[in-house]
Amino acid sequence: MRDSKFTYWLFYVLFLLVVIISVFFEKKLLIYTKPLVSISLLILYVKHVEKIDLFFVISIFLILTTDIFIYIDFLKYYDIIAVLITLFYFFCILSLKKYIIRADIVLSKLASPPVIISVILIGYLIFSITELVLPKIRDSVGAIVMIVISLVGFSGVSFFIYVADRYEKSIYLFVAACCTLFVDALLAINELYYYNRVFTTLINIAEIAGVYFFTSFFIETKEITNRSTEKEYF
């Protein structure tokens, strides 16, 4: 029990440290402190899950590495960052694969008004941000496409699991997906269009919160109802 509390307190303290640095100090210091938050979440995950998913572990190391490159020089290493972010979303999707069941794929759910409105809003957001920052990364159109496809894929899978309502705490995935959309949009603006310390703080809070809720889903989720054992998983 004491170890359990320690892992959470370690995360909270490091989270607070990152916020303090974002507000009061040079963002270069985040190169050294931000990865510690990812490590604390990995410790939290390992301590509290019954079976460790390698895909999830890889995704944490990918976001850890991405954060380092972002705060070294975002523009210089943009192509590397794009590949790392794409791989991060890819492995996140793989870690969620077992929570998607063929029986849950119902066209009426996928074509419901909330889903359609969400798709339109996300599409508009992506288009607007891309149009805004494209002059700075005109030679990296392929990288932009990779990020967009992987982001939409992760958000789509997270929203689908939430809408299917088969697992407890699926709202955590919805929150995580919203956080990633917010972070990717604001990060591009902050690093390529208009830098603001407040934006840096908000980005870090949203990113850490998103990864925390994503991690918490695996720790806390359980199937809501008893289903037939004859399930076809992807």
Side-chain angles (χ1 to χ4, degrees), residues 54-72:
L54 184 60
F55 294 139
F56 176 85
V57 174
I58 293 173
S59 71
I60 291 295
F61 279 109
L62 284 168
I63 198 63
L64 183 157
T65 309
T66 303
D67 287 332
I68 293 173
F69 277 107
I70 285 173
Y71 291 110
I72 291 176

Side-chain angles (χ1 to χ4, degrees), residues 108-211:
S108 59
K109 286 185 177 181
L110 298 178
S112 63
V115 174
I116 293 173
I117 292 172
S118 298
V119 169
I120 292 173
L121 290 175
I122 292 171
Y124 177 75
L125 175 65
I126 292 171
F127 173 79
S128 299
I129 300 300
T130 302
E131 189 177 39
L132 195 64
V133 303
L134 190 58
K136 287 283 187 75
I137 47 175
R138 195 172 294 277
D139 296 331
S140 301
V141 175
I144 297 174
V145 173
M146 285 194 309
I147 292 177
V148 169
I149 291 174
S150 59
L151 171 61
V152 170
F154 171 70
S155 300
V157 170
S158 298
F159 289 153
F160 178 79
I161 294 173
Y162 171 67
V163 170
D165 197 28
R166 184 181 286 271
Y167 294 94
E168 293 179 2
K169 312 299 182 182
S170 59
I171 184 66
Y172 288 177
L173 292 180
F174 179 83
V175 174
C178 291
C179 285
T180 57
L181 288 167
F182 175 82
V183 169
D184 284 0
L186 195 56
L187 180 64
I189 294 173
N190 197 42
E191 297 292 339
L192 299 174
Y193 185 74
Y194 174 74
Y195 175 77
N196 189 293
R197 185 182 290 274
V198 174
F199 287 174
T200 299
T201 304
L202 292 175
I203 288 165
N204 280 287
I205 291 173
E207 182 189 326
I208 294 172
V211 180

Side-chain angles (χ1 to χ4, degrees), residues 10-26:
L10 177 64
F11 165 72
Y12 297 146
V13 170
L14 291 172
F15 188 179
L16 180 60
L17 178 62
V18 168
V19 173
I20 291 172
I21 290 174
S22 300
V23 174
F24 298 108
F25 297 93
E26 289 293 322

Side-chain angles (χ1 to χ4, degrees), residues 72-128:
I72 291 176
D73 193 322
F74 184 86
L75 187 57
K76 181 179 179 180
Y77 296 108
Y78 179 77
D79 288 339
I80 295 175
I81 291 168
V83 171
L84 289 171
I85 291 175
T86 301
L87 288 173
F88 167 70
Y89 287 132
F90 175 72
F91 280 100
C92 285
I93 292 171
L94 289 179
S95 68
L96 293 172
K97 185 179 176 183
K98 60 187 175 184
Y99 297 98
I100 302 176
I101 300 171
R102 292 184 188 277
D104 288 336
I105 303 178
V106 180
L107 186 60
S108 59
K109 286 185 177 181
L110 298 178
S112 63
V115 174
I116 293 173
I117 292 172
S118 298
V119 169
I120 292 173
L121 290 175
I122 292 171
Y124 177 75
L125 175 65
I126 292 171
F127 173 79
S128 299

